[in-house]
Amino acid sequence: MAWTLDQLNAVTPAQALEALDGVYEHSPWIAEQALTQRPFRSLAHLKHALAHAVRTASTEAQLGLIRAHPELAGKAMVAKSLTTESTNEQSKAGLTQCTPEEFARIQQLNADYNARFGFPFILAVRGPRGAGLNKQQIIDTFARRLDNHPEFEVAEALRNIHRIAEIRLNDKFAAEPALGNDVWDWHEKLAEHSDPGFAEKGQLTVTYLTVTYLTDAHRACAQRISHWMRDCGFDEVEVDAVGNVVGRYRAATPGAKYLMTGSHYDTVRNGGKYDGRLGIFVPMACVRALHQAGKRLPFGIEVIAFAEEEGQRYKATFLGSGALIGHFNPAWLDQKDADGVTMRAAMQHAGLCIDDIAKLQRDPAQYLGFIEVHIEQGPVLNELDLPLGVVTSINGGVRFVGEMIGTASHAGTTPMDRRRDAAVAVAELALYIEQRAAQDGDSVGTIGLLNVPGGSINVVPGRCQFSMDLRAPTDPQRDALVRDVLDHLGQIAARRGLRYTLEESMRAAAAPSAPALQHHWERAVDHLGVPVFRMPSGAGHDAMKLHEIMPQAMLFVRGENSGISHNPLESTTNNDMQLAVDAFTQVLHQLAEEQQP
């Protein structure tokens, strides 16, 4: 018999503790602490209370929790002394039916892992979809995590424990994230399309996904998204003149404004399945629910799957969203890809009408604004055990390419105080950028390229080419960071007797969230019983382009694997996807109430 939250909130502490028995392996203290927060507003609220009890516990208590878990396919499984929950999970993953070779491999990994970390390997074997990982996925993850830093691995073990607990709670409360599962499945099906040379399976049993602008895989993705939009009940679906897939769900009354939403469906090379695409499928699920309920809102919903954001095949970043604000540069048409194919030829081959690109520009007066759901692409939400984050601003940034110029000389005969070492000067600059950006708390600075042309092991570097990427949530904060870094660069060069060249290669303004739309996201997250966490976006997004003509605000969704992105290990869970759908639905309801006469 499944429990309900009302029952959990109403029973005695002892009965509530018994109800949560087994959620965290042999660790009733977690439930005891979490239950002091009753009444729980939602299952998400309960999950966070449990995770918070662990997060605020002592290191000793956290390690005790980890060590309370059995090894995968270990002695407890062989002796049949696992808890009911662990027996069920390991059995579903096929670990009770290992071949002798698989069993030996897992036993060796268990031994190596325990020797390195001093606690058992913890993995939520039912996986991010809840349907279960296969044995090879488990073994590959086991081997990969052996290389983690011990401090990082403690955190990774705890994160997996929370996922195990989340799935066990779903079972206890018969809570099925049905829409989250659908969104998950759309991602999996769309990831079947990848550019040639990138679709093979890799060492980590994950797909090496690459979808660049107007390739066969890209056009196949557009076709699939179009079909799914029609299946969801959109009134109009089209592929526009730059390859954006546009679905429109009409308002209850003709002539009403639209809410624009969406994200991109292209990827970086060897990227993840969720970057961009999550922002397409979450609103699609919401529109489908409205259509199935026969419901119309006082405004229309326009979901746009932007054709290009990553700038991989051609140097035309944000091409899809840029076209909607009149920022398509005709000079891009003559750019050639690595195979010599011009953008013009690629667009003609795809059947796009280049002459219609100018007609794509939107009239902001016809829109309530733009909202976007996106996977976080960073570790913050993961580390805080929070499923959602409300974006306050998309960072503004400035990029530079430069070269430090000194004197190449013999590494053995040039005394340390006589050197004009260009590489060391750039290294000193990198350390300063690290220190200076950290002062702000939310600024970031990176030297991503550092190259010594013609370098040799026995030569003091006379030249060093480098890049700088400096970002901050507001333009004044960004400009102060840039000013200090450039001043320090000049000081380093003068003190070391060097000269340098520097060229600004990109400047993007910060895109603060519109207060009203940000508040809608905050209310939606709070309605779900999840703490409202506000954070800037360090990465650029389509929302920053639409920001130039209309209000915008974003919602971040937690990523798994420490929030890694632009990587095949990028992931999130069906439960977090469900919360994103629920939050989006809440925003729609709030906006509908505002639009009522």
Side-chain angles (χ1 to χ4, degrees):
M1 187 73 175
W3 277 78
T4 67
L5 273 181
D6 287 341
Q7 290 172 330
L8 186 72
N9 288 332
V11 297
T12 67
Q15 290 171 320
L17 186 61
E18 183 180 355
L20 298 180
D21 180 54
V23 172
Y24 282 86
E25 201 90 354
H26 303 299
S27 303
W29 61 270
I30 300 170
E32 287 177 355
Q33 291 188 29
L35 286 168
T36 63
Q37 297 190 31
R38 288 192 299 173
F40 296 110
R41 298 161 54 199
S42 64
L43 194 56
H45 183 193
L46 170 58
K47 291 172 182 177
H48 180 262
L50 292 163
H52 183 73
V54 175
R55 187 165 176 265
T56 56
S58 67
T59 301
E60 182 180 356
Q62 292 175 347
L63 289 172
L65 169 63
I66 295 172
R67 292 178 179 131
H69 285 71
E71 293 180 335
L72 290 181
K75 296 175 182 178
M77 188 192 77
V78 174
K80 299 184 178 180
S81 61
L82 294 172
T83 62
T84 302
E85 292 83 3
S86 288
T87 299
N88 177 50
E89 289 154 1
Q90 296 206 25
S91 177
K92 281 187 174 180
L95 295 175
T96 53
Q97 289 88 38
C98 287
T99 65
E101 294 77 15
E102 289 170 336
F103 187 74
R105 173 66 170 147
I106 292 174
Q107 291 304 300
Q108 184 60 57
L109 286 168
N110 273 323
D112 293 345
Y113 188 94
N114 267 292
R116 174 163 168 72
F117 299 114
F119 50 79
F121 174 70
I122 311 295
L123 179 65
V125 294
R126 286 175 64 179
R129 171 62 162 78
L133 302 174
N134 62 47
K135 286 181 285 187
Q136 193 57 53
Q137 288 174 314
I138 292 168
I139 290 170
D140 286 351
T141 304
F142 209 150
R144 171 174 57 82
R145 281 175 48 188
L146 265 172
D147 292 331
N148 284 343
H149 186 279
E151 207 172 277
F152 180 90
E153 188 57 21
V154 168
E156 192 67 13
L158 291 173
R159 285 191 283 269
N160 275 274
I161 288 171
H162 292 318
R163 176 58 179 162
I164 293 168
E166 178 168 61
I167 293 172
R168 291 178 179 180
L169 281 170
N170 290 346
D171 293 342
K172 281 183 179 288
F173 287 83
E176 181 69 16
L179 296 179
N181 288 340
D182 290 344
V183 171
W184 170 275
D185 293 341
W186 277 330
H187 283 92
E188 290 298 302
K189 290 174 184 175
L190 200 66
E192 293 172 1
H193 303 290
S194 187
D195 292 351
F198 296 96
E200 70 279 1
K201 294 289 184 180
Q203 177 186 356
L204 301 175
T205 59
V206 290
T207 302
Y208 282 67
L209 179 66
T210 300
V211 178
T212 58
Y213 187 54
L214 295 182
T215 60
D216 289 345
H218 186 273
R219 287 183 284 121
C221 287
Q223 185 179 42
R224 274 211 170 181
I225 294 169
S226 299
H227 289 168
W228 289 334
M229 282 184 172
R230 292 187 182 95
D231 291 343
C232 286
F234 284 83
D235 299 297
E236 307 163 38
V237 180
E238 67 164 341
V239 176
D240 71 17
V242 295
N244 296 328
V245 184
V246 183
R248 291 168 69 87
Y249 188 73
R250 298 190 192 111
T253 56
K257 291 185 178 183
Y258 274 77
L259 174 69
M260 186 189 294
T261 184
S263 196
H264 61 97
Y265 65 93
D266 68 322
T267 76
V268 297
R269 292 180 174 85
N270 292 335
K273 302 173 186 176
Y274 309 96
D275 174 10
R277 298 171 178 199
L278 185 63
I280 302 167
F281 295 140
V282 164
M284 280 174 54
C286 295
V287 168
R288 185 181 63 180
L290 289 170
H291 174 69
Q292 290 173 346
K295 185 174 182 180
R296 298 279 174 175
L297 301 177
F299 53 88
I301 303 171
E302 185 175 57
V303 180
I304 305 178
F306 294 113
E308 200 288 330
E309 188 250 25
E310 300 287 6
Q312 297 289 296
R313 186 177 180 186
Y314 300 102
K315 294 178 181 178
T317 308
F318 297 111
L319 182 154
S321 52
L324 270 59
I325 65 171
H327 285 187
F328 183 88
N329 184 351
W332 290 341
L333 295 169
D334 297 320
Q335 286 188 20
K336 294 182 179 180
D337 67 6
D339 296 319
V341 178
T342 65
M343 183 185 293
R344 186 189 310 277
M347 296 178 85
Q348 290 170 340
H349 178 70
L352 303 181
C353 185
I354 295 173
D355 292 341
D356 286 346
I357 293 176
K359 301 175 185 177
L360 300 182
Q361 186 169 353
R362 298 298 198 265
D363 176 6
Q366 301 302 313
Y367 290 89
L368 299 177
F370 178 84
I371 59 175
E372 181 175 359
V373 175
H374 206 283
I375 196 167
E376 181 201 349
Q377 299 185 279
V380 176
L381 293 175
N382 203 295
E383 291 174 356
L384 294 174
D385 299 314
L386 292 173
L388 303 174
V390 178
V391 178
T392 56
S393 177
I394 303 170
N395 282 3
V398 182
R399 293 178 182 173
F400 299 91
V401 290
E403 182 173 20
M404 190 71 74
I405 303 165
T407 303
S409 58
H410 197 292
T413 60
T414 308
M416 297 304 293
D417 62 351
R418 314 279 179 83
R419 298 182 175 211
R420 301 291 180 264
D421 190 324
V424 170
V426 176
E428 182 181 344
L429 177 65
L431 291 174
Y432 174 77
I433 290 173
E434 179 183 57
Q435 173 264 324
R436 172 59 184 82
Q439 285 181 7
D440 294 336
D442 49 8
S443 294
V444 290
T446 306
I447 289 187
L449 299 174
L450 195 153
N451 177 52
V452 176
S456 180
I457 196 170
N458 61 348
V459 176
V460 175
R463 296 168 58 207
C464 185
Q465 299 165 341
F466 64 97
S467 64
M468 291 193 297
D469 184 311
L470 306 173
R471 309 188 193 195
T474 67
D475 290 344
Q477 184 174 320
R478 175 205 63 189
D479 294 343
L481 173 65
V482 170
R483 183 171 58 251
D484 288 351
V485 168
L486 295 186
D487 286 349
H488 203 77
L489 169 60
Q491 293 171 24
I492 291 171
R495 176 166 31 84
R496 292 180 172 274
L498 309 173
R499 60 187 179 89
Y500 63 90
T501 62
L502 194 68
E503 176 186 353
E504 183 177 307
S505 59
M506 188 277 288
R507 179 175 290 263
S513 298
L517 289 177
Q518 180 182 323
H519 185 58
H520 281 303
W521 280 128
E522 291 168 353
R523 285 177 56 198
V525 171
D526 180 69
H527 180 85
L528 300 178
V530 176
V532 176
F533 180 74
R534 302 168 183 86
M535 61 189 300
S537 170
H541 299 288
D542 290 300
M544 69 192 299
K545 297 301 291 184
L546 276 304
H547 173 83
E548 298 182 33
I549 65 168
M550 67 178 71
Q552 63 79 27
M554 294 184 67
L555 180 75
F556 276 167
V557 180
R558 167 175 54 190
E560 295 293 292
N561 298 315
S562 195
I564 195 169
S565 186
H566 285 185
N567 185 295
L569 292 175
E570 177 184 271
S571 184
T572 187
T573 68
N574 57 347
N575 284 93
D576 288 356
M577 289 178 173
Q578 178 72 51
L579 288 174
V581 173
D582 292 343
F584 199 103
T585 301
Q586 280 298 316
V587 171
L588 294 180
H589 289 165
Q590 294 167 24
L591 290 171
E593 290 174 359
E594 285 184 356
Q595 300 299 309
Q596 296 292 350

